[in-house]
DNA sequence: CAAACAAAAGTGGTCAGACCATCATTCCAG
DNA sequence: CTGGAATGATGGTCTGACCACTTTTGTTTG
């Protein structure tokens, strides 16, 4: 009868395993080139330990049954931290936007109205994303943006062009420094990509690249206001090209 | 060799069960009084069938093992469609913002910087939410907003005040008509609520209620511009009261 | 009779071991 | 050297049992 004040209920076994696994996952992903990097110095050809041991192995390591370990892994997969492939093992990834993407697909099943609502949100978030990027973008970000722009101009296929296009927006959101903003925009990008190739035409690659260049130019010169405006115009043009109605 | 064009892989059993359950969830209320209805015809007082049969029952109904059924249920729980309670059964709910909330908690573990980024996003989304609400709010929405305002003014405790406050914002987002906007704002509200009571002080209830009233007044008069501005000022004041830095 | 306690039933949580489906590798025949 | 057939490894599914928690029920007790 010692502990009565804290109504802390013991977390379920699955949750405990989840926490342990999550703790083992995070420290491996972040790009922290700390001088340590002491782990796994024995494997000369597995750059990122981006794979999880087999279920049976992990289960016995953690001292739980395979059922529990499986449920924990499934949970982490739903959260976008793992990718399970039958026969191939479980990879460690970092796609936290996946849960949001799934929820939005479920929330607005109709692709057309989903696209319309998507652009309403993009028009709110991305101009600010561009503005913040103009203020905060690092040299690395500028370099990546340039590479993305080049990839868009030289895209060999429509699919590649779409990928490069959305990548530009992702890098921009990353440069904004707001991680929540990044996550939401990444999710919107996922949904956009899923909508393409389903009868939805986008604007020409060349025109899109031009607008990206305008945005990038503004960011290079730290002109946050111009970047914001350019992004807004870009999105308005993209929405119009999709045949979607303007905002009220 | 018939189907070769669509590389549609057969979905796993768990996914199939997920789909079946999801289909059974949405139209949970709708009139599907199939002539069968063999189960529990003896309970005359269970108004909403907001509960799922037991795992063993469901598993045999769907013709799958309990393991598969469990994994499917867990998946739906993570998506915010179910709530599992040991010994009490599984309830049907609809909280699609839960996955996003979880992802954001994981993405920005530090409550302080999370709150800062949260307000950056709120300042982008909620003024537009208020603007759209001014254009689209139905009489029912106005009524709910009024009730929420009254609840805020007469809140007996700080906790109740916070709940009423966030509820106002939720109703507003609902009135905006953009479901994606609603989902994101609901998630932000969840995180806000979780942050309160952890050393974070908010502005006084009376002042908050006054600002809500200003917003509601603008919405009643369909003055979208005024509603947008009032919401922006409300959020700026709330952020300042929290001691957070202004946007760059 | 009513309230309090104890037993029973129902629920999700965990475990163990087995077998199936899919993928990667290895190895042998050509 | 190439191709495909065995082999191994991995995740997917099944079964049945037992544990932990909650609700209901039934009895006991005041």
């Amino acid at each position: 009868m010692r502990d009565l004040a804290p109504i802390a209920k013991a977390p379920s076994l699955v949750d405990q395993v989840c926490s342990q696994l999550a703790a083992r996952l995070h420290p491996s992903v972040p790009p922290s080139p700390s001088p340590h990097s002491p782990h796994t110095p024995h494997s000369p050809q597995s750059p990122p330990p981006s794979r999880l041991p087999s279920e049976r192995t992990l289960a016995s390591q953690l001292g739980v049954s395979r059922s529990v370990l499986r449920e924990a892994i499934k949970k982490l997969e739903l959260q976008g931290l793992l990718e399970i492939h039958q026969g191939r093992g479980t990879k460690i990834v970092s796609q936290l936007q996946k849960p949001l993407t799934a929820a939005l697909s479920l929330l607005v099943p109709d692709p057309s109205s989903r696209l319309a609502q998507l652009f309403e949100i993009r028009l709110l978030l991305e101009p600010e994303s561009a503005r913040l990027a103009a203020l905060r973008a690092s040299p690395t970000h500028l370099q990546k943006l340039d590479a993305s722009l080049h990839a868009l101009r030289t895209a060999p296929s429509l699919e590649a062009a779409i990928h490069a296009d959305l990548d530009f927006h992702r890098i921009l959101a990353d440069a904004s420094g707001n991680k929540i903003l990044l996550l939401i925009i990444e999710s919107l990008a996922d949904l956009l990509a899923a909508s393409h190739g389903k009868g939805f035409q986008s604007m020409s690659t060349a025109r899109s690249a031009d607008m990206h260049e305008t945005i990038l130019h503004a960011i290079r010169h730290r002109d946050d206001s111009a970047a914001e405006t350019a992004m807004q115009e870009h999105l308005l043009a993209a929405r119009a090209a999709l045949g979607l109605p303007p905002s009220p």
Side-chain angles (χ1 to χ4, degrees), chain A residues 133-211:
Chain A
L135 296 174
R136 301 171 177 168
S138 71
T140 304
H141 285 134
L142 291 177
Q143 184 178 332
K144 286 182 181 173
L145 288 172
D146 210 54
S148 171
L149 179 58
H150 181 262
L152 177 57
R153 288 212 185 276
T154 63
S157 67
L158 179 60
E159 187 184 334
I162 292 174
H163 184 276
D165 186 330
L166 293 177
D167 221 38
F168 185 87
H169 292 265
R170 261 187 283 259
I171 300 168
L172 220 54
D174 186 33
S176 79
N178 189 319
K179 292 187 176 181
I180 300 179
L181 192 58
L182 171 60
L183 183 138
I184 296 178
I185 288 179
E186 273 186 332
S187 179
L188 300 186
D190 283 357
L191 290 171
L192 259 305
S195 293
H196 281 289
K198 287 188 178 179
F200 292 104
Q201 283 290 353
S202 59
M203 76 172 92
S204 80
T205 299
R207 184 150 170 249
S208 189
D210 287 344
M211 301 190 103

Side-chain angles (χ1 to χ4, degrees), chain A residues 112-128:
Chain A
S112 183
S113 64
R114 186 201 303 164
L115 216 47
Q117 297 185 21
L118 231 50
F119 266 89
E120 278 193 22
I121 308 289
R122 288 188 80 188
L123 270 165
L124 297 178
L125 298 182
E126 299 224 32
E128 176 74 358

Side-chain angles (χ1 to χ4, degrees), chain A residues 52-123:
Chain A
L52 227 54
S54 78
E55 294 185 348
R56 293 164 180 82
T57 305
L58 250 185
S60 70
Q61 273 186 24
L62 297 175
V64 298
S65 73
R66 200 183 151 202
S67 336
V68 170
L69 192 268
R70 268 181 65 79
E71 287 197 4
I73 284 183
K74 286 279 190 168
K75 200 165 176 176
L76 294 177
E77 187 205 21
L78 260 300
Q79 294 184 352
L81 294 174
L82 294 176
E83 242 182 37
I84 309 177
H85 293 106
Q86 176 171 135
R88 254 182 295 177
T90 302
K91 287 193 309 177
I92 299 176
V93 299
S94 187
Q95 299 185 340
L96 284 180
Q97 84 284 4
K98 246 181 77 174
L100 176 56
T101 306
L104 294 183
S105 299
L106 229 156
L107 185 64
V108 190
D110 174 46
S112 183
S113 64
R114 186 201 303 164
L115 216 47
Q117 297 185 21
L118 231 50
F119 266 89
E120 278 193 22
I121 308 289
R122 288 188 80 188
L123 270 165

